Amino acid sequence: MSEILEKLNEAQRQAVVATEGPVMVIAGAGSGKTRVLTYRVAYLLELGVDPFHILALTFTNKASREMTARIIALVGNSEAKNVWMGTFHSVFARVLRIEGHRLGYPSNYTIYDSDDSKRVIRNLIKENTLDEKLYQPGYVAQRISAAKTSLISADEYESNPEIQEYDNAAGKPLTGKLYMQYRSRLMRSSAMDFDDLLFNMNILLRDFPDVLIKYQQKFKYILVDEYQDTNYAQYLIVKKLAANNENICVVGDDAQSIYGFRGANIQNILNFKSDYPDYKVFKLEQNYRSTKTIVEAANNVILNNKNQIFKEVWTDNDEGSKITLLHASTDNEEGNLVAQAIFEHKMNQQLPNSSFAILYRTNSQSRIMEEALRKLNIPCRIYGGVSFYQRKEIKDMLAYYRLAVNPRDEDALLRVINFPARGIGKTTVEKLIVLADEFKKSLFDLIESPPSTVRFPESTWAKVTGFITMIKSFGALLKTKNAFEMAKHIAASSGLIKELHEDKTPEGVSRFENLEELFNAVKEFTETPRTNPETGEIEENVVRTLDEFLQDVALLTDADFGDKDDTDRVMLMTVHSAKGLEFPYVFVVGLEENLFPSIQSLNSRTDLEEERRLFYVALTRAQVKLSIAYAENRYRWGNLTVCEPSRFISEIPEKLIDFPKRSQPKKESFMSSDNFSNMLEGLNLPPRKFAAQTPQKSSLQQNPKLPPPKPFLPPVDPAISSLPPSEIEDIHTGMDVQHERFGKGKVVAIEGIGPNKKATVFFSGIGQKQLLLKFARLRIAE
DNA sequence: ACCGTATTCAGCGCG
DNA sequence: TGAATACGGT
């Protein structure tokens, strides 16, 4: 019927055309999951289904954008744009803007991110004069979040004896009280946190039958991506929305469920058949991503898990090369081995940096990898870390925006009432908070219309009301100016720009630049046409205002922002953030017991299985070549700890692994490492710098002409370079040189010194190449 | 109000 | 180890 279907394999096609009734698609890694989802939407549209009746839910903005783009490519812009496609949070935030009044929220309610929530909780803990060491904001936040995710309200939490007992046993009997206070504080601020978006959506569907019916009729076809990652609140929303039509299609891979720790429930996918007895299941088992070696390794690893849906992932791709195991004596050496391996692959095969990814279990491992790459002048980009929107200067600026839109937002008010400093001190703020509690008013309402008993010193009161007046003036301009004009106005009137501009320290300059970035984002938003929240339709020529910007921004993360840096870099990220991505060359590092698997996972089978799925995710990111690495010694929390190789390594069949050759006595392996480990071993060996100057040859070498891999050779191995260090010094601009692969060339330029000495060489017929001399094996031509 | 020092934390983190 | 925040002194 349709040309759409021609580009699918049999299993994919079946999953796409089964449009009616409950469908579960079990999609192995690299099996074309997104393809099925996008083609299914396109197919529905082709069948004549109204795009407004299709709801497609994803977990990340990125996934949602990607799907939108692909559907547009298939069916064109006008149809695709009208599909309700987005993350759980963004879609239900939209619904709550429309329906939230039933629960007492205005349509301009503010969304608190997890930092905002924690700030509120921290303040509450202080106000209650509780011991901050016992009641850690993070802990309390997590308890509240877990409760909301399980749809337990503050009242239910407080009155539930089992929960009370649990908190008593934990020595934190007042957690429930904090939950109650937190709830009223947010309510008073007209704010919802991320969990509230899902919680309140559930309440709407539970308590307001007309709302339930309205959205059941609206969303006739529902698709859910990454179903294995849904938590209870998300699961229940989907179930309720789908209850009438049961045209629900969930796609996922139980083997890639790695978010149990934040409430994702793998049982949701395992229980699909009991929820929808007449369901159809389709398994996508052909992997299009990786070599046979990689697929086989991953299959064998995941086989060790008990709790899973049976499937057999296979591939038609080549056998590929074996998995390289890099064995280092220390974490620093691990970094060096990986960096060298990347360097050699790059040089031998002229690959871009972006074909490499280094994946680790914890963010703290990124620094060593970054340093090792820097030593070899390999540019890299670290994902994660402090997100753009979490930076203080951005949060401060956004707090002014938030106040303009919703002056009752107390978190925002407390953040900037005295920043830049305007003489409103701690004492004043504390008094105001006490009064706000007493009169059950938001801080803003209290200051705007104070009860007659409230008395403040004249000058103090002038400052406070001055601030409030400024906020009100922002609010008054909101609907007349566009977002960008408004942003500029607020930045100037609040004094924030001046404050930062005067700070000439490097940090200050960087903060200022971040604000410029924010303005760019606002400008871009201002120039993007509006989507009607009720219908999803695109409305041209409508002024975009700052309150709309804020609604968008609350649900964005840095992953949605700094993507402008598309320069060619090696990617460094945690395994978690690598999910859904693929790279030709992947290095999974830190494969040690207590690190990967993490020490916290060793107590329960469930946690260990999740950890194994995480390893499975790591392995299946690789397309061409996989390398895994571990170190014998590693700094953790400031001390050197001795590590054992991860059990996961032994779960990969030996025949798939290229083991490090141990032709040298073991102590030789310390020769290249950093000085600390040398001291440990009581060896008097060259200092740290030396490792960088004379890198070892890693076992990743692919050139068949070279001798077999010898990862632990002493530093000056003739196989590394035909050029001893002194000879490197002899290479100068203008010289004719000979390269093993590129032939004769002329040195155009020299830069860097010592180990990082680089030559730009022009090879006739090939062009200009940058070569790091210690690797390039250049000979001076006659 | 502000700065420098002390202390604390370190598992992964979508929205 | 290192960064981010809290505190205490001026």
Side-chain angles (χ1 to χ4, degrees):
Chain A
M1 154 193 185
S2 138
E3 58 187 66
I4 280 180
L5 300 177
E6 286 167 18
K7 290 173 184 163
L8 301 170
N9 70 27
E10 184 55 25
Q12 291 172 336
R13 199 182 58 76
Q14 286 181 13
V16 165
V17 299
T19 58
E20 309 301 305
V23 166
M24 174 161 73
V25 180
I26 301 295
S31 64
K33 178 194 69 156
T34 312
R35 198 177 184 84
V36 164
L37 274 170
T38 50
Y39 276 67
R40 194 177 158 99
V41 172
Y43 185 72
L44 283 169
L45 293 172
E46 214 173 69
L47 288 179
V49 174
D50 187 337
F52 296 104
H53 287 157
I54 302 175
L55 171 66
L57 295 169
T58 64
F59 271 80
T60 64
N61 291 308
K62 198 176 162 210
S64 138
R65 269 199 310 267
E66 220 171 275
M67 273 176 60
T68 309
R70 287 170 72 164
I71 295 169
I72 288 173
L74 287 173
V75 299
N77 204 337
S78 54
E79 285 283 281
K81 282 261 166 118
N82 292 329
V83 173
W84 274 66
M85 166 117 55
T87 63
F88 277 90
H89 290 87
S90 71
V91 167
F92 300 133
R94 257 164 85 179
V95 173
L96 284 162
R97 300 251 173 241
I98 301 160
E99 315 289 348
H101 61 91
R102 299 162 191 264
L103 304 174
Y105 291 93
S107 68
N108 68 351
Y109 70 86
T110 302
I111 298 173
Y112 279 10
D113 69 20
S114 25
D115 284 353
D116 303 331
S117 310
K118 265 191 212 155
R119 263 174 61 96
V120 174
I121 290 168
R122 177 174 290 118
N123 290 340
L124 285 172
I125 291 167
K126 279 189 188 161
E127 284 170 36
N128 286 286
T129 58
L130 298 173
D131 179 3
E132 272 195 74
K133 293 206 180 75
L134 184 59
Y135 287 91
Q136 287 170 354
Y139 172 86
V140 178
Q142 215 179 320
R143 288 289 291 163
I144 295 176
S145 169
K148 285 185 183 170
T149 297
S150 310
L151 303 182
I152 298 167
S153 69
D155 297 307
E156 285 159 354
Y157 191 104
E158 266 287 75
S159 57
N160 182 317
E162 275 171 58
I163 294 174
Q164 190 61 55
E165 204 174 301
Y166 178 96
D167 282 336
N168 288 346
K172 301 168 178 78
L174 298 177
T175 309
K177 190 180 166 205
L178 287 168
Y179 186 4
M180 298 278 275
Q181 292 175 348
Y182 175 75
R183 188 220 26 209
S184 20
R185 209 42 85 85
L186 258 63
M187 209 59 208
R188 200 165 88 188
S189 297
S190 297
M192 294 192 207
D193 66 21
F194 285 142
D195 298 311
D196 284 333
L197 297 173
L198 304 174
F199 181 91
N200 287 330
M201 188 67 206
N202 268 292
I203 304 300
L204 274 180
L205 297 180
R206 186 194 69 191
D207 296 349
F208 299 88
D210 58 317
V211 175
L212 177 66
I213 290 166
K214 173 176 171 187
Y215 288 95
Q216 279 179 341
Q217 286 174 349
K218 191 178 198 86
F219 302 133
K220 291 201 165 66
Y221 293 88
I222 300 175
L223 297 92
V224 185
D225 190 14
E226 309 276 19
Y227 193 64
Q228 77 281 354
D229 288 339
T230 47
N231 62 32
Y232 181 66
Q234 290 163 326
Y235 157 86
L236 205 61
I237 294 171
V238 169
K239 194 175 175 194
K240 286 193 167 159
L241 288 176
N244 204 23
N245 298 305
E246 289 211 342
N247 290 327
I248 175 173
C249 170
V250 304
V251 181
D253 181 2
D254 55 304
Q256 294 186 63
S257 163
I258 55 174
Y259 285 110
F261 69 91
R262 67 172 193 220
N265 190 353
I266 191 172
Q267 292 303 326
N268 291 344
I269 197 163
L270 300 175
N271 289 347
F272 192 80
K273 61 175 152 201
S274 45
D275 284 334
Y276 306 95
D278 51 348
Y279 79 118
K280 297 192 197 88
V281 63
F282 302 100
K283 293 183 184 178
L284 309 182
E285 295 175 311
Q286 181 174 3
N287 174 305
Y288 293 95
R289 178 185 295 155
S290 316
T291 63
K292 284 200 174 68
T293 304
I294 293 163
V295 169
E296 196 183 339
N299 282 348
N300 276 282
V301 166
I302 205 66
L303 220 54
N304 292 287
N305 274 6
K306 277 188 184 161
N307 199 9
Q308 57 179 316
I309 297 172
F310 177 78
K311 65 181 152 317
E312 208 159 3
V313 180
W314 59 278
T315 184
D316 250 352
N317 295 342
D318 289 345
E319 200 68 40
S321 56
K322 284 192 180 180
I323 296 167
T324 298
L325 179 62
L326 299 169
H327 171 168
S329 57
T330 65
D331 47 6
N332 278 313
E333 193 195 274
E334 183 192 43
N336 292 337
L337 287 177
V338 169
Q340 287 152 27
I342 290 176
F343 192 95
E344 286 163 22
H345 279 304
K346 262 185 69 174
M347 283 306 167
N348 289 333
Q349 293 156 49
Q350 294 300 303
L351 298 163
N353 295 312
S354 57
S355 46
F356 299 92
I358 303 175
L359 309 183
Y360 34 78
R361 179 65 179 80
T362 68
N363 272 312
S364 58
Q365 291 165 259
S366 65
R367 204 195 79 249
I368 287 175
M369 288 296 149
E370 186 191 13
E371 282 171 8
L373 290 169
R374 197 172 44 219
K375 281 188 211 161
L376 299 184
N377 286 325
I378 302 171
C380 66
R381 177 166 175 207
I382 299 175
Y383 280 81
V386 182
S387 100
F388 183 79
Y389 287 106
Q390 281 170 5
R391 291 173 199 203
K392 185 180 180 301
E393 61 275 18
I394 303 300
K395 283 239 132 187
D396 288 341
M397 193 76 253
L398 289 178
Y400 280 101
Y401 299 176
R402 278 158 61 181
L403 281 174
V405 173
N406 170 17
R408 294 161 72 189
D409 182 341
E410 289 192 11
D411 180 64
L413 187 135
L414 292 174
R415 182 178 269 278
V416 294
I417 190 167
N418 199 32
F419 187 83
R422 41 178 81 84
I424 304 173
K426 222 196 248 170
T427 334
T428 308
V429 172
E430 273 166 15
K431 267 188 181 162
L432 286 169
I433 291 174
V434 170
L435 289 165
D437 269 343
E438 190 184 327
F439 291 100
K440 300 213 174 344
K441 284 181 162 199
S442 72
L443 288 171
F444 177 84
D445 292 329
L446 180 90
I447 299 165
E448 204 197 17
S449 47
S452 52
T453 49
V454 171
R455 279 281 170 274
F456 276 86
E458 194 75 7
S459 65
T460 308
W461 194 247
K463 289 171 192 160
V464 173
T465 49
F467 177 70
I468 290 296
T469 308
M470 176 174 74
I471 297 304
K472 280 200 278 192
S473 76
F474 293 161
L477 292 171
L478 213 54
K479 295 290 174 189
T480 58
K481 287 182 181 257
N482 73 33
F484 186 59
E485 291 163 349
M486 199 64 215
K488 278 194 297 191
H489 175 73
I490 292 179
S493 320
S494 65
L496 203 58
I497 273 287
K498 189 162 167 276
E499 177 89 13
L500 284 176
H501 197 59
E502 282 165 0
D503 185 352
K504 293 298 178 195
T505 62
E507 301 86 48
V509 171
S510 148
R511 286 197 200 109
F512 189 75
E513 286 167 358
N514 286 335
L515 273 190
E516 285 184 321
E517 250 338 270
L518 179 65
F519 294 141
N520 290 339
V522 178
K523 184 148 179 79
E524 208 179 305
F525 171 85
T526 308
E527 288 159 1
T528 315
R530 182 170 185 271
T531 310
N532 185 306
E534 187 90 38
T535 63
E537 274 168 300
I538 308 292
E539 301 171 343
E540 305 283 349
N541 305 320
V542 174
V543 176
R544 309 304 310 275
T545 53
L546 195 65
D547 53 324
E548 292 176 281
F549 173 77
L550 215 51
Q551 292 171 13
D552 275 19
V553 102
L555 297 169
L556 293 184
T557 60
D558 59 329
D560 309 308
F561 200 82
D563 266 9
K564 277 160 201 153
D565 181 14
D566 51 3
T567 49
D568 178 39
R569 291 163 188 275
V570 172
M571 307 293 188
L572 271 64
M573 63 186 84
T574 62
V575 182
H576 279 93
S577 41
K579 186 167 170 216
L581 305 177
E582 57 185 19
F583 308 92
Y585 292 75
V586 169
F587 294 79
V588 187
V589 301
L591 276 170
E592 295 134 35
E593 283 295 299
N594 301 339
L595 179 61
F596 199 177
S598 100
I599 191 160
Q600 289 94 335
S601 73
L602 300 180
N603 293 324
S604 81
R605 171 163 204 105
T606 324
D607 286 357
L608 184 64
E609 292 208 345
E610 176 152 316
E611 206 75 3
R612 186 175 285 114
R613 292 193 294 270
L614 190 59
F615 185 52
Y616 176 83
V617 168
L619 299 183
T620 52
R621 297 311 96 199
Q623 298 171 297
V624 178
K625 165 92 190 168
L626 182 64
S627 305
I628 55 183
Y630 70 97
E632 290 171 3
N633 300 283
R634 177 179 301 275
Y635 273 100
R636 298 190 73 180
W637 310 290
N639 351 307
L640 194 74
T641 49
V642 177
C643 316
E644 269 180 56
S646 168
R647 70 189 70 190
F648 294 153
I649 297 176
S650 58
E651 294 176 5
I652 300 174
E654 277 188 24
K655 60 167 188 183
L656 302 178
I657 299 182
D658 205 358
F659 285 94
K661 306 277 188 301
R662 288 191 158 273
S663 50
Q664 303 290 324
K666 193 174 179 228
K667 65 176 178 186
E668 298 280 356
S669 68
F670 287 89
M671 293 215 41
S672 68
S673 187
D674 66 26
N675 49 6
F676 199 100
S677 68
N678 291 336
M679 290 193 308
L680 257 185
E681 291 298 308
L683 296 172
N684 185 17
L685 286 164
R688 187 188 203 121
K689 270 189 194 161
F690 200 64
Q693 282 165 356
T694 52
Q696 302 169 334
K697 179 148 163 25
S698 93
S699 53
L700 277 175
Q701 187 53 265
Q702 298 261 297
N703 192 325
K705 277 185 230 163
L706 293 167
K710 289 176 195 160
F712 298 115
L713 283 180
V716 184
D717 173 1
I720 294 169
S721 166
S722 56
L723 221 54
S726 62
E727 214 173 307
I728 290 180
E729 294 308 312
D730 290 342
I731 292 198
H732 298 293
T733 309
M735 246 174 202
D736 288 321
V737 290
Q738 181 80 28
H739 185 273
E740 203 169 65
R741 280 186 59 201
F742 305 132
K744 263 201 174 160
K746 200 177 197 69
V747 179
V748 182
I750 295 280
E751 53 188 313
I753 47 157
N756 293 329
K757 190 163 173 180
K758 245 182 355 186
T760 309
V761 183
F762 184 81
F763 297 99
S764 59
I766 293 171
Q768 209 156 294
K769 297 273 177 209
Q770 288 225 324
L771 304 167
L772 206 56
L773 289 179
K774 66 184 174 198
F775 284 116
R777 287 186 287 276
L778 286 181
R779 279 184 293 120
I780 298 165
E782 308 305 318

